[in-house]
Amino acid sequence: NICNHYYTLDFLQDVVLPNIDNMYHIAHKKIPCYDAGSDKTIKPTENNGIKLESFIFDVFPLSKSMVVLDVLREEEFAPVKNAPGSKSDSPDTARVFLSDQAKKW
């Protein structure tokens, strides 16, 4: 999700928190578990458990007003999720992106 979400504290406290119990989704997952017999962690090949998930955008229906801004990814998004020195999505590539953006301005 490459979105930025902005919420007021009043909205979160007065609207979201009182309704948080209704926002969970059941997701069937492969959940690693410990096997005492082999003293190892087992990585299952099939779903063996469930997780209760909730997503940041699940609060959209609770809002009285909201705005969506659509922007060009190549002008607004420089993720940092890899280590420095990586070929993509690193602090290095984000610095280059920001520098290139500043040159355009």
Side-chain angles (χ1 to χ4, degrees):
N1 184 344
I2 61 170
C3 295
N4 290 312
H5 304 269
Y6 300 94
Y7 303 106
T8 65
L9 286 176
D10 287 342
F11 174 70
L12 294 174
Q13 292 170 338
D14 300 339
V15 179
V16 174
L17 288 179
N19 290 288
I20 198 79
D21 290 343
N22 301 323
M23 291 188 199
Y24 289 106
H25 312 279
I26 294 175
H28 298 274
K29 301 282 186 173
K30 298 174 194 157
I31 302 173
C33 55
Y34 175 73
D35 177 43
S38 65
D39 193 33
K40 293 183 180 177
T41 299
I42 298 172
K43 291 181 86 175
T45 56
E46 296 180 4
N47 293 339
N48 65 334
I50 61 169
K51 287 185 178 180
L52 295 178
E53 296 180 336
S54 185
F55 303 102
I56 191 74
F57 47 78
D58 287 337
V59 302
F60 289 178
L62 299 176
S63 70
K64 292 180 182 171
S65 65
M66 78 180 243
V67 175
V68 175
L69 300 175
D70 188 18
V71 297
L72 295 175
R73 177 188 174 106
E74 58 273 9
E75 291 182 9
E76 300 287 340
F77 184 64
V80 176
K81 55 185 179 179
N82 295 324
S86 299
K87 292 186 179 187
S88 67
D89 300 341
S90 72
D92 310 308
T93 59
R95 256 188 242 98
V96 169
F97 169 80
L98 288 173
S99 179
D100 290 346
Q101 276 295 86
K103 291 173 189 172
K104 292 177 188 176
W105 299 333

